[in-house]
Amino acid sequence: MKTEHSRAEMIKEISGVNPLKCMKCGKCSASCPSYNEMDIKPHQFVSYVINEDIESLVKSKSLWKCLSCFACVERCPRDVKPGKLIDAARQIVVRERGKNYLLADDIPELVDPDTPQQLLVSALRRYRR
Amino acid sequence: MQRIGVFVCHCGTNIAATVDVKKVVEMALHEPGVVHAEDYAYMCSEAGQELIHKAIKEKHLTGLVVCSCSPRMHETTFRNAAEKAGLNPYMVEIANIREHCSWIHKDIEEATEKAVILMRAAVAKVNLDAPLKPGESRVTKRALVIGGGIAGIQTALDIAEAGYPVDIVEKTPSIGGRMSQLDKTFPTLDCSSCILTPKMGEVNAHPLINIYTYSEVESVSGFVGDFTVEIRKKARSVDMNKCTGCGVCQEKCPSKKTPSEFNRGLSTRSAIYTPFAQAVPNVPVIDRDACIKFKTGKCGICSKVCQAGAIDYDQIDEIVTEKYGAIVVATGFDMIKLDKYDEYAYSQSKDVITSLELERIMNAAGPTGGHLERLSDGKPPKEMVFIQCVGSRCADDRGKSYCSKVCCMYTAKHAMLIRDKYPDTNVTVFYIDVRTPGKNFDEFYRRAVEDYGVNYIKGQVGKVIPQPNGKLLVQGADLLDNKQILKEADMVVLAAAIEPNPDVRKIATMLTASIDTNNFLTEAHAKLRPVESPTAGIFLSGVCQGPKDIPETVSQAGAAAVKAIGLLAKDKLLTNPCTAHSDELLCNGCSQCANVCPYGAITYEDKEVNDHGVRETRRIAVVNDALCQGCGACTVTCPSGAMDLQGFSNRQILAEVDAICR
Amino acid sequence: MYKIAKENLTALFQKIAAEQELYLPVRNEGQVNFAAWSEDAQVDIDTLKTVKSPKDAFFPQSETLYTCVRDGKKINIEPEALKEQDFVVFGMRACDVRGVEVLDKVFLVDPLDTFYAARRDHGTIVALACHEPEETCFCKVFGIDAAEPAADVAAWLIGEDLYWKALTEKGEALTNAVADLLTEDAGADETVNKEKDAIRSIVEQLPYTHLSLEGWNGDVLMEKFEDPLWDELYKPCLACGTCTFVCPTCQCYDIKDYDTGKNGVQRYRCWDSCMYSDFTMMAHGNNRKSQKERFRQRFMHKLVYFPANNDGMYSCVGCGRCVEKCPESLNIVKVIKAFAKQGGEK
Amino acid sequence: MQELINRAKELLADGTVARVLGWKAGDLPYNPEPAYFEKEEDFADFVYNGFCGANLSKYMIEASKLEGKTLVCLKPCDTYSFQELIKEHRVDRDKAYIIGVGCKGKLDIEKIRAMGIKGIKSISGAEIEDEAETLTIDTIYGEKSCAYKDAMLERCHVCKGKDHMIFDEIIGESKETKDADRFAEVEKIEAMSPEEKFAFFQKELSKCIRCNACRNVCPACSCRKCVFDSNKFDSSQKANVDSFEEKMFHIIRAFHVAGRCTDCGECSRVCPQGIRLHLFNRKFIKDINELYGEYQAGADLEPRTPLTNYDVEDAEPGIVAERG
Amino acid sequence: MSIEKNEEFRPKIVAFCCNWCSYAGADLAGSSRMSYSADVKIIRVPCSCRVNPMFILRAFERGADGVIMCGCHPGDCHYTSGNYYARRRMTLLFSMLDYIGVENGRTRVEWVSAAEGAKFSQTMHEFVDKITSLGKNVRLEDLRCRN
């Protein structure tokens, strides 16, 4: 298991996001369609990464509730893009399962029945490169 | 060959206790060019200066080296002493053997060795010194103020009060600027026009102030003290001298469909119009794009109804050329366009407005006669939502990176006024931070919360969704309660970022004044010269330099006026002689030096040169001594070494390097 | 006639270098130039032309003449010592040897250049015949025989052997000094003659060999000087010094001072180039103001002024280095041909 | 080539241009020289082939002073230099009629010689029209051949692309010949220890004979009088008397053209001693790209170059030590 | 003159200081009696942007062992932008010196304000130590100027 620090660094690297740019305006949370289903709210993703509490993040419900609609990415005034952080956190989960790349055939057994379809599309788009 | 005198100061024991001054004197006599060397307890004293005077006279010295304290301390003293004895003051160099030597070293041998080396470097430099003479340039005792808002008005008044004539150039038909559009002002809630209108009248009546409205700066040439400016007076189609300002033409004008600029497009105006009732001058202009006479050739009603016979359809733009000693830029600001913020539904709903539009709605002279109502259906709003930081503090290219500074306060003002006048209306403010540094500012904001029950929510709005029922669904976040909020509102007010007037880039280019990436004019020094541009003779007033509120603008306007007055009070400007200059035989005319000159001091001329018998016309860099401040940026940019700095020439610095490394 | 196996050349170089300095073609970062021999030097005597000619051996690119040292307010002048050490230059070609003869005409006449003279006195030249002449060579035009260089020692590299023949007293002395490494070979003459014939027959096939110098001599000064053709010829010239610095006969130098700070002011001379914009720049200005004049200078000097003063001897030796190295492919052959073509048209 | 000649003649005849700046065939198979053509009959000698490597943009400095327009043949990479010269007011755009000529990589006779090919009588395959991949070289010592690619100038292996940055018209096709990483050599050196770096450059620069060919051919080195020819900095040098002077000259030369050097490769092409001078220029280009953002001199007419510009967030000089 | 006490290595260090900040910072170090090595000799220039790479190479040519340039902090330049240009120039020059094998650390840039006497003194301490550890500059000197 990697240290929390290295996981946080990896999230930053994968997402290309500098969480320190966040000015805590909350526009992400204000924009989020899945807000109510989330245990950790979009604006909080940022501070979890800053505080290097990645374990909570990857264990959170939010990770799989985010629709990857990227409204927060579009609207974030500070170029922080919480949606990308979440996407990166998912990638960490996938990688830690020992697979860097997802094959279409592997998906059914990985999929939580609650996972929204859009997420699958987003995941395929992202990980099957 | 120079005849150099070296004078070594003991500075009591400050130097002499650590440096063997006699040894320095002895070593000095071995240096090339040195014909005289002596030491004395206090060189800066009368007696010490007398020694220098005597040696210059008796030994016919052409250059001096004073080994003493820092040149920052007594360079001027010794230069003056040299000048009194008939020597050019720039033939003096200081070897700093106190601050840079005796005070920091303990070992006498070591300190003496270093003092000798510093003396040598100074001698090497003097050997290459040339007499320099400060240039002189005249000062035209007249100032130009670009922009007729509160900043420009205040600057013009202050300069004129000091007795210097001032011209104001204003692009729109009337002075008054943004402030004239405001309803009330924070934190005292005075009526904006009540405090502005008297000032506009004062400017209009002042014998030393001349106002060019409906005019723009066309070109600027010259330099500090001696600018030549061309001003384009756009054709007004109304004779300023004949018009009585009765207003009949505006009433009768059949073309009334043009959106009113003054009311931010919330109402319309006639083709012949004054922007607002208290306009100064109270003379209308004809908007030729809207005028039926200009579009079709028919109509001419205004001309018929004008008893003064002031209407003149044949007027053409006029160019006025005037000379100025100082120029103050007061071009102000506008709100950013919101076309990149679709999520707030500004373009989709009439009930989503900007705060400046709200100012007009709240104003008794505004489009709704001062009644707060929805523009869609005229109903009074029951739920109002204010969204802060729309386009301010934005890291992406949709908005501006800076804080617009005034929004927190005016939103508190709006909220308070609404709650006061319409107690049934709920007001919610979504904010990121509330910033209230300023006298009585935080108290003002607290009053809005505590006395008027304005609901401040820490969090931003993600989306505004117009509903079929005419309401606006506001989806926001409450970060303190960690919940998402869905709220139906009747009106949404956006605190849009302010940005410098878009024309300022053009003006800055004409003035060679520097401008930052946000189009704010750059000050000469962020802390110490905040109202001056790095370009000499150009001063900054108001929001063109950075976001600020009215009191701050007025203070800065006064400060800019003082700086301008300080310049105009002089008959002549003495220019720093340590300026760059270009060797015309080596100059390539490549323009690289002008690229790095912070003062716009370098221009190019086609000049005929005789290069060792080859005669040709070449593009040559020419440095304006009045503008050059002697930083030397150009000298390093110049690859051929054509550009050199007097007083710190390439060869002088190299000679110092050589002397130190010897 | 002696010979020495190629594989023993290192021993020969060691032997020479033990007694005196030895300069010979050395390969450094892909380029072959004359340099001092050392154990780890990559000697390359197969490459026909070194980039720079070997004239440095006698007339170095820069040399200090004297040093002025300040003593208080006095100045002492310390002249530079003349060359006192014997040395050998091994591997010059016939054209290079003629190049040295040209320099002699300049530096060994009155006023004698003592720095040059000392080097000539102490230097012995071992020259190699050109085994495989190249298309840029045109030494024959100047009457030089690439097959038989006229040096202190002439040498031929044939197969696995180097054939050695002393031609002067200096050459004899050097031969004696290395005699124990050389073997006498009775059949050598025949081998060498065959090689000479081969070389000469290749030379006949070279494209420049039959270049005509008709019309170029010391008597045509004004006619050539004023010819409008120069107005065109110089145009591509970049005014760099490549042609002059690789040339075995260019002898112009400038005298400059270098202030060392603590070690006084060194007065040194260094090669100058007539192509340079400040060539012959003087206090009053420059008497060759345009590149055309400077460009003309080089060719007029080699083909007109020099023969005018030296019994018809041209100061070009046809080594072809400028032909190979000019960045814009200008050269003396093109100049000669351009005038010939124009002559034909007239 | 014939199309180019026809068009040039046409533009001369109709008075659009007063002269044509192109290449004249040499007297050996590989040595064409830059030349002006003013009359129809001059074109008998006009040539454009693989050996026409010279960047003619610098000649336009002088040509801009002449009466009338000059038609100049510029290869794609030459057009960068030309734009840079426009920026610096050294050439007059209005005095130039630019024909962007096609380029499929230019040849380096030194590379052919380095293969041991000598006594060259003729070369075929260097013509610009055909797609020949091979050069066939007839020599006194027999017929030789080599791949076109192997005889290409170094710069063509890191070709900037086949597009002309500025032109009035284009004649002939170009091909991008890039097959190497432009900064590979620089990176190799950067990875060396200081001792190795020093030894490398000491050796490379010891070949320098200060002929100034690199400087004089360089379109960015367009100073009327170079600092190394003047006494402005006590910097007049005609020879490298000490190895310091070689370094001084090459460092300062590279510094003076930093941000303006288009990497046209002329310096390396003309060096008679085969010094890889582009190693200096490319180091600066690489640093500029990495520190101040990708920049290609001559790709546009923006007057400010990286060294006459700044960003408040620029790296500190200490970064050099940090990078190690 | 040679007053060297012993044979130990004493580096020659040239410091270019801008008139407005760093030279004043050095003055403050002096008036606060914050000592640093006498091997440092200061040359006053109007602005760090006056420092030409040729000056730095010249110092090395003449046997300097280290060259340091001090200017106003970025953003505080008396001439508004001079040190920004200087920063780019020096970054590129230092990178080039590193590239040709000059030991890392023989050159340095430090921003010292007029109030930072202590920083000036501290910087000079560090720099002298660094140069002393690097030893004599032999890679960039002109042998003709050698002692």
Side-chain angles (χ1 to χ4, degrees), chain D residues 189-204:
Chain D
I189 297 166
E190 284 172 342
M192 293 180 186
S193 71
E195 290 69 31
E196 289 166 338
K197 288 173 182 171
F198 185 72
F200 174 84
F201 279 107
Q202 188 87 332
K203 225 173 160 196
E204 190 73 24

Side-chain angles (χ1 to χ4, degrees), chain C residues 47-158:
Chain C
T47 295
L48 182 72
K49 289 177 209 185
T50 51
V51 179
K52 277 208 285 187
S53 82
K55 78 179 169 193
D56 291 72
F58 302 101
F59 173 45
Q61 183 156 12
S62 70
E63 66 183 319
T64 304
L65 303 177
Y66 55 85
T67 306
C68 306
V69 183
R70 205 158 53 82
D71 175 15
K73 295 206 166 176
K74 286 202 313 257
I75 290 171
N76 294 330
I77 295 182
E78 296 165 1
E80 197 71 16
L82 298 178
K83 184 86 179 173
E84 282 173 349
Q85 164 85 45
D86 284 339
F87 65 95
V88 171
V89 188
F90 182 95
M92 283 171 68
R93 303 286 173 176
C95 50
D96 297 335
V97 176
R98 169 71 70 85
V100 175
E101 285 172 42
V102 170
L103 296 182
D104 287 349
K105 299 260 185 201
V106 179
F107 293 127
L108 296 184
V109 295
D110 192 47
L112 185 78
D113 186 304
T114 51
F115 290 90
Y116 179 83
R119 287 203 174 79
R120 281 293 276 138
D121 285 347
H122 290 282
T124 305
I125 300 173
V126 180
L128 281 174
C130 303
H131 178 61
E132 286 187 333
E134 296 175 6
E135 76 278 8
T136 51
C137 297
F138 54 109
C139 54
K140 182 156 191 279
V141 174
F142 302 99
I144 298 165
D145 186 358
E148 191 151 18
D152 295 317
V153 174
W156 291 262
L157 203 54
I158 308 168

Side-chain angles (χ1 to χ4, degrees), chain B residues 45-83:
Chain B
S45 68
E46 282 299 321
Q49 293 189 44
E50 189 48 44
L51 284 178
I52 293 174
H53 190 100
K54 214 174 109 204
I56 292 173
K57 292 290 183 200
E58 284 177 3
K59 301 276 179 81
H60 307 289
L61 301 182
T62 60
L64 300 185
V65 167
V66 186
C67 304
S68 62
C69 54
S70 171
R72 299 168 54 83
M73 195 72 86
H74 276 307
E75 188 172 60
T76 323
T77 312
F78 295 120
R79 280 187 173 168
N80 290 343
E83 195 167 22

Side-chain angles (χ1 to χ4, degrees), chain A residues 29-41:
Chain A
S29 284
S31 302
C32 183
S34 303
Y35 183 91
N36 291 331
E37 329 241 328
M38 289 190 173
D39 46 358
I40 298 177
K41 308 298 185 189

Side-chain angles (χ1 to χ4, degrees), chain B residues 105-420:
Chain B
H105 306 310
K106 294 201 177 70
D107 186 295
I108 295 185
E109 250 183 295
E110 212 176 74
T112 306
E113 183 189 8
K114 179 167 172 183
V116 167
I117 292 172
L118 295 177
M119 172 275 293
R120 274 185 189 152
V123 169
K125 191 173 181 207
V126 176
N127 261 313
L128 296 168
D129 265 343
L132 300 178
K133 227 179 127 103
E136 274 180 0
S137 64
R138 70 197 180 95
V139 179
T140 305
K141 295 184 178 286
R142 186 181 195 89
L144 172 67
V145 175
I146 305 174
I150 180 62
I153 289 172
Q154 187 63 47
T155 305
L157 281 172
D158 288 347
I159 296 173
E161 278 305 299
Y164 299 101
V166 188
D167 292 350
I168 299 178
V169 172
E170 166 60 45
K171 191 173 58 170
T172 69
S174 168
I175 59 169
R178 291 284 161 251
M179 189 175 166
S180 64
Q181 292 177 292
L182 306 184
D183 182 39
K184 301 276 194 305
T185 55
F186 60 78
T188 48
L189 298 180
D190 334 52
C191 144
S192 182
S193 48
C194 307
I195 55 176
L196 176 65
T197 315
K199 281 210 180 281
M200 288 163 64
E202 209 182 320
V203 165
N204 201 22
H206 204 292
L208 288 175
I209 300 178
N210 179 26
I211 308 174
Y212 294 103
T213 49
Y214 211 46
S215 301
E216 288 181 48
V217 173
E218 187 84 1
S219 74
V220 179
S221 59
F223 48 87
V224 55
D226 192 19
F227 294 104
T228 303
V229 179
E230 285 185 332
I231 299 163
R232 174 179 294 272
K233 288 174 72 180
K234 288 180 283 186
R236 209 171 180 109
S237 317
V238 176
D239 188 326
M240 297 267 287
N241 297 322
K242 291 184 184 161
C243 175
T244 60
C246 70
V248 175
C249 52
Q250 302 184 51
E251 268 168 49
K252 303 288 182 199
C253 176
S255 164
K256 288 202 160 60
K257 292 273 166 60
T258 311
S260 156
E261 293 85 355
F262 185 74
N263 279 334
R264 307 297 291 183
L266 301 182
S267 68
T268 57
R269 60 158 169 84
S270 46
I272 184 165
Y273 74 107
T274 50
F276 54 104
Q278 303 87 342
V280 168
N282 187 16
V283 175
V285 299
I286 295 180
D287 174 356
R288 294 188 174 185
D289 294 331
C291 174
I292 299 167
K293 171 81 177 170
F294 278 99
K295 285 200 290 192
T296 66
K298 290 173 200 142
C299 188
I301 291 175
C302 49
S303 176
K304 282 171 209 145
V305 301
C306 181
Q307 298 197 333
I311 308 295
D312 177 1
Y313 299 120
D314 299 329
Q315 245 184 30
I316 51 165
D317 288 6
E318 190 188 332
I319 302 284
V320 182
T321 306
E322 190 67 73
K323 283 196 163 284
Y324 300 100
I327 298 178
V328 183
V329 188
T331 45
F333 71 99
D334 203 339
M335 297 217 138
I336 62 164
K337 290 207 173 62
L338 292 174
D339 48 3
K340 287 178 184 155
Y341 287 94
D342 277 348
E343 66 261 37
Y344 296 129
Y346 177 71
S347 56
Q348 298 152 44
S349 170
K350 283 179 123 179
D351 299 326
V352 180
I353 58 172
T354 67
S355 1
L356 195 51
E357 286 162 13
L358 183 66
E359 291 282 350
R360 293 315 303 148
I361 291 173
M362 304 279 284
N363 190 279
T368 61
H371 300 293
L372 179 62
E373 59 190 41
R374 283 157 52 97
L375 295 173
S376 57
D377 54 13
K379 288 189 191 144
K382 291 294 161 210
E383 282 291 340
M384 293 214 40
V385 167
F386 285 80
I387 302 175
Q388 299 300 93
C389 296
V390 176
S392 296
R393 307 170 68 193
C394 237
D396 59 29
D397 58 2
R398 296 206 296 169
K400 303 291 178 185
S401 59
Y402 49 86
C403 165
S404 294
K405 199 169 183 180
V406 289
C407 328
C408 285
M409 285 302 288
Y410 70 59
T411 298
K413 173 190 77 178
H414 289 148
M416 203 186 292
L417 288 171
I418 290 167
R419 292 285 297 155
D420 185 50

